Amino acid sequence: MYTGFKHLHSTLAYVLLAGLLISILYVLFAYLQNKGYNRKMALLGLICAHLQLVVGLVVYFVSPLGLQGASGEAMKNSTARLYFLEHPLVMLIAIVLITVGYSRAKKLTIPKKQNGTVLAFYLIALILILSRIPWQVWPPGLGQGFRF
Ligand code: HEM
Ligand code: HEM
């Protein structure tokens, strides 16, 4: 269960980064060229984010590095703190931002504003996500991170 979900979470990280990037690039060009708003293109990033959220939550409760790794001692260790606190918390904030951006755009009516809203929220979310990926072990296969 742990290994399976961990691999799924690790694989979905590629899917989410790709999906989010496609959504961002699409709304960026639509914004710059004053094109219409394509909700399906924003939905791509939202669905990838929600999927990763569900899998991430499962991993958090089954992984020894998640909730089980939380302690006052672990707070002083930057790697342990990343896994049990910073990574889940910042990723959660990022996914909330993506959801809020998507929802707001849905309620707006001017395409330029819709594209601009999704662009801003998704871009901040992407930066947050990139800031808390455990780069020392991901992508697997690089450096010491080979763990298959
Ligand atoms: C934006 C969404 C997220 C991305 C892109 C992401 C990405 C990753 C990556 C790349 C890893 C390393 C996997 C590996 O060792 O190969 C990881 C590990 C982990 N993630 Fe996430 N994550 C996200 C959201 C979450 C959320 C919402 C939670 C929990 C609520 C979570 C909990 C964890 C835990 C506990 C680990 C450590 C797993 C282990 O090695 O035992 N993640 N995540
Ligand atoms: C912990 C689990 C989840 C939570 C808390 C959550 C939360 C939300 C929220 C608050 C919205 C509303 C956005 C709006 O105002 O339009 C939403 C929309 C959506 N979610 Fe999730 N979600 C979760 C899991 C999933 C999963 C697993 C999927 C499927 C892959 C998914 C797919 C979607 C889709 C497609 C929408 C957009 C619906 C629309 O167009 O209005 N979500 N979710």
Side-chain angles (χ1 to χ4, degrees):
M1 168 110 171
Y2 167 50
T3 313
F5 270 95
K6 195 176 121 172
H7 277 150
L8 184 59
H9 191 62
S10 178
T11 307
L12 276 181
Y14 293 107
V15 177
L16 173 59
L17 287 181
L20 207 51
L21 209 60
I22 293 170
S23 289
I24 288 173
L25 288 175
Y26 192 93
V27 295
L28 171 67
F29 285 111
Y31 180 82
L32 293 176
Q33 298 173 349
N34 290 316
K35 295 266 172 64
Y37 174 61
N38 185 339
R39 196 179 59 85
K40 294 249 166 76
M41 289 309 293
L43 193 59
L44 177 68
L46 178 88
I47 292 179
C48 296
H50 284 191
L51 270 178
Q52 181 67 309
L53 170 65
V54 174
V55 176
L57 281 172
V58 174
V59 173
Y60 191 70
F61 291 105
V62 298
S63 166
L65 300 175
L67 188 62
Q68 299 162 49
S71 70
E73 228 18 70
M75 210 60 175
K76 296 184 198 133
N77 178 324
S78 65
T79 307
R81 194 176 58 235
L82 174 73
Y83 283 116
F84 88 81
L85 183 63
E86 295 171 6
H87 174 87
L89 189 64
V90 173
M91 296 307 193
L92 192 69
I93 294 170
I95 296 167
V96 167
L97 285 176
I98 291 170
T99 311
V100 169
Y102 176 85
S103 293
R104 277 204 189 179
K106 211 166 65 173
K107 289 180 200 127
L108 294 169
T109 49
I110 301 164
K112 182 107 184 164
K113 288 202 170 161
Q114 291 177 304
N115 285 319
T117 301
V118 172
L119 180 61
F121 278 87
Y122 282 31
L123 208 55
I124 296 169
L126 178 63
I127 293 167
L128 290 179
I129 290 170
L130 291 178
S131 81
R132 286 298 175 276
I133 281 180
W135 293 110
Q136 69 277 19
V137 298
W138 191 88
L142 283 185
Q144 302 174 319
F146 193 81
R147 305 199 299 176
F148 276 121

